[in-house]
Amino acid sequence: MIERFSLNQWTTRYWPLPDVVAGCAAAEVRGVGLWREPVAEYGLTRTAKLLREAGVRATSLCRGGFFTADGALADNRRAVEEAAELGAPVLVLVSGGLPGGSRDLDGARDRVADALAELAPYAGRYGVRLAIEPLHPMFCSDRCVVATLGQALELAAPHPPEQVGVVVDTYHLWWDPDAYRMIGRAGREDRLAIFQVADWTTPLPAGVLTGRGLLGDGCVELRRLRQAVDAAGYDGPIEVEIFNEELWAMPGPRVLALCLERFREHVLDG
Amino acid sequence: MIERFSLNQWTTRYWPLPDVVAGCAAAEVRGVGLWREPVAEYGLTRTAKLLREAGVRATSLCRGGFFTADGALADNRRAVEEAAELGAPVLVLVSGGLPGGSRDLDGARDRVADALAELAPYAGRYGVRLAIEPLHPMFCSDRCVVATLGQALELAAPHPPEQVGVVVDTYHLWWDPDAYRMIGRAGREDRLAIFQVADWTTPLPAGVLTGRGLLGDGCVELRRLRQAVDAAGYDGPIEVEIFNEELWAMPGPRVLALCLERFREHVLDG
C-alpha cells in the first residue's frame, strides 16, 4: 500500500521543486501534492514536463478557494487550468474566512456555495475535480468558514460528484464526534476526492498554523481514520501534509524518509 | 436587561475575591461566576457570607470535570458541595482531554458519560445542576473531549434536566454550522443552564488559552446568539468570561466597567 503515499509539497516547504520530484522518484514515491506558488515559480509547463519525465504524478494541486477575496473567481479558474495542465485530478479548495471586519458568517458561507456553482462546471470541462476542504474550526474566522466534513458535504451536494468532492484531512477533523459517520456518508455520496494525514500535538504555537505534528507524535487515530476512509470506498493517494517549522528546517530527503517511516508505522496496517 | 449581567471571576483573574464582590455591588452588578481556587483561598464559608452581605449571588461555580484525572469523582463531589454552600445553582463541567499518551477519544468520551451517571444524582441531592460545557475543538486533546453543543446534549440526555444541563459559551461554539439548531434543541429539552459570552479574535496566542476577545473586538455575532438563547427560553444570567492577558493586567474596576459598556453595546438589544 506504500504506493498510495504522496508527499504534499508543503511538508518540505523549502525543498526546491526539481529536488522534490527527483527525491520522490529516488525514494520510489510516485505521488506529490503540489502548491501553486512554487509551481508558478518553476514554471507550469516546465513542472508538467518534469513530472512526466520522472514518472511522478501530481495527486492534487493546493489550492483554490479564498472566495471572499477580490478577483477570486478568475483566480480559481486559472487554478483549474493549472491543475489540468499538471495532470492533477484534484484542486483543493480552502474557502477563505470572514472578510475583514465582517461578522456575517452565514453570508460568507453562502458566498462559498455561490462560487462553487460558478466554478464546478468550469472544472468539469477541464476534467478537474474540486475538493472542498473543511479546516479545523480554529481557522474559521481567518482561513476557512467550512469547518466540518458534514458542512463540506452539504456544499458539495448540489453538484455532480465528478465535479465536486471533499478533502478528508485527519488534522482538521479528528476531534469531530460525527467524523466517522460523515466519512461513511462521503463514501456513499461518492465525494472522497483526497485523503491527507497529519497528527495533532499541543501546545499549539502562536498563530496555530504551523502546529501540525509528524505522524505518530500526536493523539490522532491515524490508522483508524485511514481504515474508515478505505471502508467508505476510497483507494486513492494518501498525502502527508504537515506544516511544522522543525520539519521545514530539516533537509528534504530526511523529511521524506521520516514521513515514509512514520506512514508505514502509523497509517498502514500494522 | 443589564440585571442579567454576571462577571465571571476569571475575567478579572487577579482581582482579590472580596474586591470583586465589593466592586460588583458598587457597580450594581448582582451576579458573579466564581472559581473554586480563589474561593478555597478566601474560604468557602467566608465567601458565602461575603456574597450574602453584599447582595451578590453566585451564578455558577467553575469548575468540575477533568474526569480522566485520578480522584476525579471525589473532587467533583466536593465541587457539588461547594456550589451548594455558595448558593450557586450551576456547577460548570469541563470534561478534561485525553489522558497523557492516549489516542482513545471514544474511550475518553465514554468515561465522561460514566462520570455523569455517578455525579448527576449526587448533584440532584444538593440542588445543584451540572452544566456540561463543550469547549472549542482546539481544546479537544488537552482540556475537553466534549467539542460541540450537540455532543453535550447527547451526554445530558439520559439525565433529568434539573440535574444536568449544558453551557452555551459564544467563544466555543460560534463557528458551529449547527449552533443555532442545537441552541433551539437545548431549549426544547430544557438544558440551558448558563450562557457565557466572549469574542473570537485572531491571531491566537501560543497555547491558545488566553486568546479570548473583549466583547465587540472580534467576529462573533454575540447579539444574535443571545437572542437565539433567549428565544429558546433562557432568561437566566449572562456571564462575561474572557481569558485575556491584557485584561488581566488592568485594574479590576476598569475591566468591569469595560465589560458592562461592551455588554450593553454588543449583547443587549441595540
Side-chain angles (χ1 to χ4, degrees):
Chain A
M1 195 149 64
I2 196 73
E3 68 273 10
R4 292 174 68 188
F5 178 99
S6 173
L7 177 69
N8 186 286
Q9 184 171 17
W10 222 250
T11 305
T12 50
R13 180 169 177 185
Y14 302 111
W15 205 12
L17 181 52
D19 298 358
V20 170
V21 174
C24 282
E28 297 186 22
V29 165
R30 296 292 161 202
V32 288
L34 294 174
W35 280 64
R36 293 179 71 198
E37 297 79 356
V39 166
E41 198 180 310
Y42 188 74
L44 182 63
T45 312
R46 211 173 151 211
T47 303
K49 183 164 178 282
L50 185 75
L51 291 172
R52 274 195 308 274
E53 290 176 358
V56 173
R57 71 201 170 99
T59 51
S60 74
L61 181 65
C62 288
R63 58 194 184 194
F66 289 89
F67 294 118
T68 50
D70 286 342
L73 213 58
D75 187 60
N76 274 282
R77 287 199 191 96
R78 281 193 298 276
V80 166
E81 294 158 19
E82 290 164 23
E85 178 149 359
L86 294 165
V90 165
L91 175 65
V92 172
L93 299 183
V94 173
S95 73
L98 290 167
S102 167
R103 297 188 179 102
D104 183 10
L105 185 56
D106 285 353
R109 286 167 170 171
D110 289 345
R111 275 193 293 281
V112 177
D114 295 345
L116 282 169
E118 294 277 344
L119 205 57
Y122 192 79
R125 284 200 288 282
Y126 282 83
V128 170
R129 191 179 194 189
L130 305 174
I132 306 167
E133 179 163 26
L135 255 53
H136 191 286
M138 69 187 176
F139 296 116
C140 185
S141 70
D142 55 358
R143 291 187 176 268
C144 191
V145 293
V146 182
T148 66
L149 185 52
Q151 188 192 1
L153 290 170
E154 291 296 321
L155 284 162
H159 308 287
E162 67 276 13
Q163 287 178 14
V164 181
V166 298
V167 182
V168 172
D169 184 319
T170 60
Y171 186 77
H172 293 303
L173 55 67
W174 73 276
W175 60 270
D176 186 349
D178 268 346
Y180 293 94
R181 198 164 65 85
M182 288 299 142
I183 287 171
R185 178 180 158 194
R188 284 192 304 279
E189 298 177 0
D190 195 18
R191 300 287 178 185
L192 291 166
I194 186 79
F195 180 47
Q196 297 181 327
V197 287
D199 213 334
W200 179 272
T201 58
T202 56
L204 291 162
V208 305
L209 186 61
T210 58
R212 303 191 196 184
L214 188 58
L215 311 175
D217 279 358
C219 62
V220 178
E221 294 176 285
L222 297 168
R223 182 175 291 112
R224 183 180 172 204
L225 284 160
R226 195 269 305 155
Q227 288 168 343
V229 167
D230 286 3
Y234 181 76
D235 60 2
I238 304 173
E239 285 187 9
V240 176
E241 187 192 55
I242 306 171
F243 299 0
N244 180 300
E245 303 272 359
E246 281 177 49
L247 290 183
W248 290 346
M250 290 167 58
R254 173 83 191 105
V255 176
L256 178 57
L258 201 52
C259 287
L260 279 163
E261 179 191 319
R262 296 298 187 91
F263 182 83
R264 282 194 184 88
E265 189 180 345
H266 295 283
V267 179
L268 300 189
D269 287 316
Chain B
M1 195 148 63
I2 196 73
E3 68 272 12
R4 291 174 68 187
F5 178 98
S6 173
L7 177 69
N8 186 285
Q9 183 171 18
W10 222 250
T11 305
T12 51
R13 179 169 176 185
Y14 302 112
W15 205 12
L17 181 53
D19 297 359
V20 170
V21 174
C24 282
E28 297 185 23
V29 165
R30 296 292 160 203
V32 288
L34 294 175
W35 281 63
R36 292 179 71 198
E37 297 79 357
V39 166
E41 198 181 310
Y42 188 74
L44 182 64
T45 312
R46 210 171 151 214
T47 304
K49 183 163 178 281
L50 185 76
L51 292 172
R52 275 194 308 274
E53 289 176 357
V56 173
R57 71 200 170 99
T59 50
S60 74
L61 181 64
C62 289
R63 60 195 181 191
F66 289 89
F67 294 119
T68 50
D70 287 341
L73 213 58
D75 187 59
N76 274 283
R77 287 199 191 97
R78 281 193 297 277
V80 167
E81 294 158 20
E82 289 164 22
E85 177 149 0
L86 294 165
V90 165
L91 175 65
V92 172
L93 300 183
V94 173
S95 73
L98 291 166
S102 167
R103 296 188 179 102
D104 183 10
L105 185 55
D106 286 352
R109 285 167 170 169
D110 288 346
R111 276 193 292 282
V112 177
D114 295 345
L116 282 170
E118 294 277 345
L119 205 58
Y122 193 80
R125 285 200 288 283
Y126 281 84
V128 170
R129 192 179 195 188
L130 305 174
I132 305 168
E133 179 162 27
L135 254 53
H136 192 286
M138 69 187 176
F139 296 116
C140 185
S141 70
D142 56 357
R143 291 185 176 269
C144 192
V145 292
V146 182
T148 66
L149 185 52
Q151 189 193 358
L153 290 171
E154 291 295 321
L155 284 163
H159 306 287
E162 67 275 14
Q163 287 178 13
V164 181
V166 297
V167 181
V168 172
D169 184 318
T170 60
Y171 186 77
H172 293 303
L173 56 68
W174 73 276
W175 60 271
D176 186 348
D178 269 346
Y180 293 94
R181 198 165 63 87
M182 287 300 142
I183 288 170
R185 177 179 158 195
R188 284 192 303 279
E189 298 178 358
D190 195 18
R191 300 287 178 185
L192 292 165
I194 186 79
F195 180 47
Q196 298 182 327
V197 288
D199 214 334
W200 178 272
T201 58
T202 55
L204 290 162
V208 305
L209 186 62
T210 58
R212 304 192 195 183
L214 188 59
L215 310 174
D217 279 357
C219 63
V220 178
E221 294 176 286
L222 297 167
R223 181 176 292 112
R224 183 180 171 203
L225 283 161
R226 196 268 306 156
Q227 288 168 342
V229 168
D230 286 3
Y234 182 76
D235 60 3
I238 305 173
E239 284 187 9
V240 176
E241 186 192 55
I242 307 171
F243 300 0
N244 181 300
E245 303 272 0
E246 280 177 50
L247 289 184
W248 290 345
M250 291 167 57
R254 173 82 191 105
V255 177
L256 177 57
L258 201 53
C259 287
L260 278 163
E261 180 191 319
R262 296 297 188 91
F263 182 83
R264 283 195 182 88
E265 190 179 344
H266 295 282
V267 179
L268 300 188
D269 287 316

